[in-house]
Amino acid sequence: MDTLTKVQNYNIGENMSLSRREFLKSSAAASAAAAIGMSVPAELEANANAAESNWRWDKAACRFCGTGCGIMLATTGDGKDRKIVAVKGDPAAPVNRGLNCIKGYFNAKIMYGSDRLTQPLLRVNDKGEFDKMGKFAPVSWKRAYDEMEKHIRIALKEKGPEGVAVFASGQYTIMEGYAAQKMMKGGFRSNAIDPNARHCMASAVVGFYQTFGIDEPSGCYDDIELTDTIVTWGSNMAEMHPILWSRVTDRKLSDPDRVKVVNIQTYTHRTCDLGDFNIIFRPNTDLALWNYLAREIVYNHPEAIDWDFIKKNIIFAAGPVNIGYGMRRAGEKSFKDGKYDALEMETYKKEMSKPVSALEAPALEPYGYKEGDVMKNTAGTLKHWEISFEEYKKSLAPYTLDYTAKLVKGDPDESLESFKKKLKDLAALYIEKDRKVVSFWTMGMNQHTRGTWDNTLSYNVHFLLNKQAKPGSGAFSLTGQPSACGTAREVGTFCHRLPADMMVKNPKHRAITEKGWNIPAGTLNPVGNQHIMKIHRDIEDGVVKFAWVNVCNPYQDSANAKHWVKAAREMDNFIVTSDGYPGISAMVSDLILPSAMIYEKWGAYGNAERRSQHWRQQVLPVGQAMSDTWQWVELSKRFTVDDLWGPYTLRNGKKLPDVRQEAYKMGYKPDTTMFEILYANDRAKSYKIDLDSFPQKGYDNSECLGDERNVVGTDGKVFKGYGFMIHQYLWEEYASFGRGHGHDLADFVTYHKVRGLKWPVVNGKETAWRFNVKFDPYAAKHAKENGRGSEFAFYGPLAKALPSGNLTGVVDKNKKPLTDKAKIFARPYMDPPEMPDETYDLWLCTGRVLEHWHSGTMTMRVPELYRAVPEALVYMNPETAKERGLRDNDLCWVESRRGRVRARVETRGRNRPPKPLVFVPWFDERVFINKVTLDATCPMSKQTDYKKCAVKIYKA
C-alpha cells in the first residue's frame, strides 16, 4: 500500500472499557460546558473528575503554524506505556485563550500513525552493503552513523565544507536548531545549512533588515483588539492562522460599524467572507498597489504626512532594479550539461536579460527605462543608498488611479469603475487621521520574486502616516512555521546568519560567536551563500556530496522538484533524512533516521509576535526514535580537531585557515572531539539534572537520562544519557548572545513557569511594541542617548550608514550615519519572469488548506483530517473549467514548462479563483504540484515564488 494512504486508525483510548469511555465523554462534556461558562451538573462533574483522576496535564506549544498557540496535554500510564490521552487549548495562553483550530486538537494523533519510522533504514544490496540503487533495510544506529561518517569524510575531502549540507527547518525546536548550527558552522566549518523558512519568511526578514536594521515585527497580537482596521495582503488568515482570525472576527463583530476588514488577494477564499470589501488583484501587482497608496498620500493628501515623525525617524532610499529573478544563471554546470530543456530555458533566459514590457514600462520610467529596452540583469544585491524626498516622490508619479486600476485588477468580470472605487476606499481607510490600521501578510507577499521590495513597501505607507510601532497600528508579517522566528531567524540557522541577528560575513560577529563557542579565532567560514535553493542546485552540479534533511521535506516542498529528486537519486552523493514518517524526502534518500516527534522531547519554539515558549517531554519516543538534538550531538562524537579544523580552499578562492595550532593552545588535543568542545564542555556539564526539582521532576528526559527503551546508540552500546541538562545548556548559551543587545531572552526555568514571553525580556518584563519609547526599554535608552526628542528609536544596527544618490544610482559615495532611523524605499512594479501566454494561459498559485500542515506528512495520517480533505484539488473558476470541457470531479492535467500533475477539478469549493487563475494546495504527495512550479526567487532574500507561474489545463 502507498505510504501516503496508510492512514492510521489509532484511536486514543480505543481499548478502554465502555464505562471508561462514558467517563471520558463526561470529562469532555464538562470541559466544554466550563469553557462557555455553563454550570456543570454535579454528577457530570463527578464523572469527569473520576475519568481524569490519573491524568497528568502539562502545557506545551502547538506543533503547527507560527501563531504559537498554547495547548494542554493529558497523559496517563508509565514509561513506555505512557500515552497522550487528551489535548485542549490552554486557557492561560494569551495567544489562543483556550481555543484551538482543527489541527491543534489533533496534536497528539500526529505522533501515532501506523507507519511511524521506528528504526534506521539504509539502502543495501543483497550482501547487506550500502548500495544507492538498493532497497531499504533496517540497520542499527551504529551502522547508520558509520555510513554517515564515511560519506561526510568523502565530501569534505573532495569538496571541502561546501560539500556538506543540511536542509534545516522552521520546525526545529530551538535547541535542535542551535545544536545543528554549532556542529555545521563551528565543527564542519560549513555554512551550507539553510531552513525551509527560506521558502516562507526570508523576504520578510530582509525587509526588516533593510527597513529597521533588525529582524522581526515591532507589534504584537494585541494590535488586533486595539485596531479598528485590518487589511490582509496575500494572507488567507482564516485557514492559515485561524486562531488569529478568530480574534479578528471577534474584533469586527464587537464594533461592526467602526471596525473595517479589507482583504487583498489574487483569489477569493474564506478570509474574504468577513471583508467589508475585497480586492482581487493580478498576481505580482501588489507592488503597484502599495505604491498607489503612497502616491495618494504624497500627491493628494500631503496633509496626512506626519513630517515631524519623518524628519526625526526616517530617511528615503533606493536600490538597483535590474536584479534578476533569483534563478540559475548562464554558465552554471547543469545548464552546460544539458539538464534543462528548451521549454524551461524560455523562462530561465530572463535571468540574464529581458525586454521591458508595456505593463511595467510606466513604473520603470523614473528609473531610466522605457518599453522595449533590454534590461541586463546582474545577480541580486542588498545594496541601497539614500535619496531625497523629491526623488521618492518622483518614483510614485506613475501610480495614478487609472494606471494602477488597469494594471492591478485581477478579476476580468469586475468593472473598472467598481475596482477604482475599492482602491479609493482602501486609501481613505489608511489615510483617515484617527483610524488605526494593521496590515497583515504571509506568503502572498513573501513568496514573490520581489518579496523584499513588497515588504519594504508596506512600511512606507505606515511610516508616512506615523502608523507603525504603535498599539493598534503597524505592518505585521505573520510567520508560517511554529519556530521560523525562534529557530531559523533568532538562532540563525540560515546560511548567512549567526545567533541574535549576527552575520557570518561580519568579522566582529564571527569573533563574538567563536568566543561564545570557545573555538579558535578564524574557525568560522565567512562565506554564507548556500541557501536552500542553492543547496539543491549544488547537489545537481555535483558540489554537495552529503546532505542531511532535518524536520522538513525538501524534495516535496521545493519548486521545480523533479530536478532535485533526480539529482538526489542519480548523482554521486549521500542523502540522509531524519523524520517521523516516510515522506517523499525519506523515500528519495539513501539513509532514513527515525526522529522523536514534538512531545517526545523537550523543546522550545518562537512565534510570530516574538514569543518564546518551552515544553517538557511528555512521553517516550516510539521504537528507537531519538530527537534531532541527540542525532546531531552523537554525530559530533565522530569528528576531532584534526579531522575538521585544518585548512580549506573554497570554490571562490577564499581560504579557511588551519586553526589546529590555536586549538592546541586553548587546551584541545588533536583527538579532542567536537562533542567535548561544542556540547559536553565544562559549561554544559555545570547544568545539573535535579530529579527532585522543577522543571525536571516527574518528567522523562531521553537525551539527558536515557530511558527504559534502552536504545542501542551510535557506539553500539545502550544509551544511558549525557548526565547533564543539555537542553538548558543549549538554551542558555544561545540566549547569552542576545542579552544586552535588544534580543534579550529570559532563563530556561522561567519559561517553564510562564506561557511564553515576547522578547526583548528586560528585567523580567516582556516587550509588546518595539522601537516605541513608551513600551521598549531599548528604544527609551536610544532616544535618550541620541537626544532627538523622538517618541521612537529604530535602533537596529544593520545598514545604518549609506551613500547618497538618486533613483538611478549613487552620486556621493561618502556614507552618512543613520543612527536610530528607519527607511522608506522607492521600489517599482515589475513583471514576474513567467506570465500566462497563448500556450500556458493560466496563472498557478499554490498554498495550504486549513486541515493539513505543509506536505501532509503528519496530518494526512490523522483519520479525521484525512477524511475531511483526502486529496488536493484544482480550484478553478466554473467558466475556466467549462472552456476546457471540464466539470467538478473530473481529472485534469496541470502542466507547466517543467512538468505536470493530475488532479481533480473543483469549481464550487472554499477557494474561488477568477478566470485567469487556478489554485492547487501542495499537501498531497500524490498531486505533486511542486513538479510544476518555478524555482524563481526574490534575488535579495532567495525566497521561492510559489504563487506565480504559467500553466495549461486539459482533461486527463
Side-chain angles (χ1 to χ4, degrees), residues 175 178-179 182 516-518 633 674-688 704 724-736 748:
M175 294 75 157
Y178 185 66
K182 286 193 79 176
W517 290 350
N518 200 28
V633 174
M674 293 298 126
F675 173 69
E676 297 167 276
I677 296 170
L678 300 176
Y679 306 110
N681 50 55
D682 290 341
R683 180 179 179 183
K685 291 177 180 177
S686 71
Y687 291 97
K688 307 294 184 184
C704 303
F724 59 92
M725 192 59 168
I726 195 168
H727 316 293
Q728 187 173 11
Y729 160 63
L730 292 170
W731 173 264
E732 295 296 347
E733 183 179 272
Y734 149 65
S736 68
F748 181 82

Side-chain angles (χ1 to χ4, degrees), residues 769-784 786 790-795 820:
W769 290 274
R770 288 200 300 167
F771 314 126
N772 188 315
V773 169
K774 292 180 181 178
F775 304 99
D776 182 347
Y778 279 94
K781 176 177 178 288
H782 280 257
K784 184 177 180 180
N786 66 38
S790 175
E791 297 176 10
F792 300 88
F794 298 102
Y795 51 79
D820 293 340

